Amino acid sequence: MAQSLTQTPTGGVKLHNYDTGAVKPSTVLVKLLAAPINPLDLLVLAGTYPVKPAYQYQEQAIPGYDGIGEVIECGEGVTNFSPGDIVIPSKFGAGTWRTHAVLDVSIIQKVLRPKNFAFGAMLKLGVLPAYFLLEDMTALKPGDWIIQNAGTSVVAQMVVQFAHLRGLRSISIIRDRETASATQIKQSLCSIGADLVLTENELPEQIPIISTKPVKLALDSAFGPSARLLLDCLTVGGTFVQLGFLGGASQELQLSSRDLFVRQLRLRGFRGTAQLSQRNFDEQSALTNWMIQLFNDGTLALPALGLEKLEWNAADGIENEVKLLAAVDRAKKAVVGQRKQILVFA
């Protein structure tokens, strides 16, 4: 018996036992191996994300837009997949918050087997966006600096690693917290390549020093006042990229004529799907497999701040439901220090 979480009308989730049914032509049965709980998933639950889930159970949407699984069975006419293949979603909406799924072959892609499935589960919404932010948003060369807020996020931690590989210097801003905890986080982020880590309260007094460096790119996940501080760090001609609203969608970014006329700053919005669509399927496949190779050989690492892995065992009954619903609720609260939660399927 398979299990699935579905979206409730109030933006919550509900657990169901269900039969996957027969594998139809042009579909495959996939056993999910791992799936993260991402901020984007929470936007989907809130009904504010434009791309809606592609699959439903009992007329309720199945959430989960990132993950990794193994092909168990192939339907008639399927020639490009075989049992044992490792796959990830090729499009948003696959519904990865379930133990098993019958998926159309058009919504998945085959990848190399990562040494840790947690890495593969974060490829689409954690690893690839970090790469695109450095490759696509502006021209960067070794020695250039970047600055980003939400420094403890998975994307930010991957940005640090890719920046280090390219010879870029990085500054990560983290939320204010108890001194011992902040010190530990700073050490962890520096261990994966960050050049400087500051809390939000520490940043203002450092701006006069930071602004003397060639800070070419600012990556903002918060908007509002936090974003304004990043703008103040940019060099002339620098690029500001907005990729999230952790500070709330109602926040405003204050600009002056000096920002655009004198400093010639560029402002851009980032959508990972738009950047991914600039690559054809073969290019996307080569890129994801290259990243898995980098992870398997130790060049890339899992987030230095750790992951919170939650085992999903369909045999656990009501205890399993309580645990999964609590995990989604924790993600919504976004408490300082909360690590990325990964559903690991037994």
Side-chain angles (χ1 to χ4, degrees):
M1 181 66 68
Q3 284 190 333
S4 174
L5 288 173
T6 61
Q7 180 177 348
T8 67
T10 58
V13 291
K14 181 179 180 180
L15 185 67
H16 302 265
N17 293 312
Y18 75 106
D19 186 345
T20 60
V23 180
K24 300 177 181 179
S26 300
T27 67
V28 297
L29 174 61
V30 175
K31 179 189 183 301
L32 275 299
L33 300 169
I37 300 176
N38 288 316
L40 183 146
D41 296 314
L42 304 182
L43 294 178
V44 173
L45 292 178
T48 58
Y49 194 73
V51 182
K52 305 304 180 184
Y55 292 89
Q56 295 185 339
Y57 177 71
Q58 294 183 348
E59 298 184 350
Q60 293 182 337
I62 300 174
Y65 279 26
D66 211 351
I68 189 167
E70 180 178 357
V71 174
I72 302 300
E73 183 182 348
C74 297
E76 181 182 349
V78 175
T79 59
N80 51 341
F81 293 96
S82 302
D85 285 345
I86 301 299
V87 296
I88 62 172
S90 60
K91 300 176 183 178
F92 281 177
T96 56
W97 290 5
R98 46 181 163 169
T99 61
H100 298 77
V102 175
L103 300 173
D104 191 278
V105 294
S106 66
I107 205 169
I108 57 173
Q109 70 180 80
K110 182 163 49 178
V111 297
L112 297 174
R113 180 182 290 266
K115 63 183 182 182
N116 188 317
F117 291 128
F119 182 84
M122 298 185 295
L123 273 168
K124 285 290 182 181
L125 293 173
V127 185
L128 281 169
Y131 175 83
F132 294 149
L133 284 165
L134 296 181
E135 289 292 320
D136 296 355
M137 294 296 97
T138 193
L140 296 168
K141 63 182 184 300
D144 286 341
W145 286 72
I146 67 167
I147 187 169
Q148 60 180 344
N149 54 22
T152 61
S153 71
V154 168
V155 171
Q157 292 183 69
M158 296 311 303
V159 163
V160 166
Q161 293 188 63
F162 283 122
H164 185 69
L165 288 176
R166 290 189 49 182
L168 304 172
R169 312 292 297 276
S170 64
I171 304 169
S172 290
I173 310 304
I174 63 174
R175 287 197 285 178
D176 298 314
R177 62 197 72 208
E178 191 267 333
T179 301
S181 175
T183 299
Q184 183 178 13
I185 290 172
K186 291 177 181 182
Q187 292 172 345
S188 295
L189 295 180
C190 288
S191 74
I192 59 172
D195 292 280
L196 180 62
V197 182
L198 300 169
T199 65
E200 291 176 335
N201 276 340
E202 292 171 337
L203 176 58
E205 65 181 22
Q206 294 296 320
I207 289 177
I209 298 173
I210 294 172
S211 60
T212 64
K213 305 180 185 300
V215 181
K216 300 289 185 66
L217 180 65
L219 306 176
D220 169 52
S221 296
F223 217 55
S226 178
R228 179 64 246 184
L229 293 175
L230 298 189
L231 274 171
D232 290 339
C233 294
L234 284 169
T235 191
V236 173
T239 299
F240 171 90
V241 178
Q242 188 273 319
L243 60 143
F245 298 95
L246 295 178
S250 62
Q251 293 278 356
E252 296 182 351
L253 176 61
Q254 298 294 325
L255 293 174
S256 70
S257 58
R258 185 174 180 276
D259 292 325
L260 303 179
F261 183 74
V262 179
R263 299 176 64 202
Q264 293 288 296
L265 300 182
R266 294 196 306 158
L267 279 68
R268 301 190 61 176
F270 177 82
R271 287 279 296 275
T273 50
Q275 303 312 124
L276 188 63
S277 67
Q278 294 179 11
R279 282 90 174 165
N280 61 38
F281 184 82
D282 288 341
E283 290 170 333
Q284 293 179 29
S285 180
L287 188 57
T288 52
N289 281 330
W290 172 66
M291 290 176 177
I292 292 174
Q293 288 175 329
L294 291 178
F295 174 70
N296 286 347
D297 70 19
T299 303
L300 291 178
L302 287 171
L305 301 179
L307 301 168
E308 184 175 346
K309 296 183 179 181
L310 303 165
E311 184 174 305
W312 183 338
N313 189 333
D316 288 345
I318 189 65
E319 293 181 4
N320 194 46
E321 181 174 25
V322 171
K323 177 173 60 178
L324 294 173
L325 270 58
V328 175
D329 188 55
R330 279 196 302 274
K332 289 181 178 181
K333 291 178 179 177
V335 175
V336 174
Q338 173 65 53
R339 294 174 294 169
K340 170 68 70 178
Q341 298 180 100
I342 302 283
L343 306 174
V344 179
F345 300 89

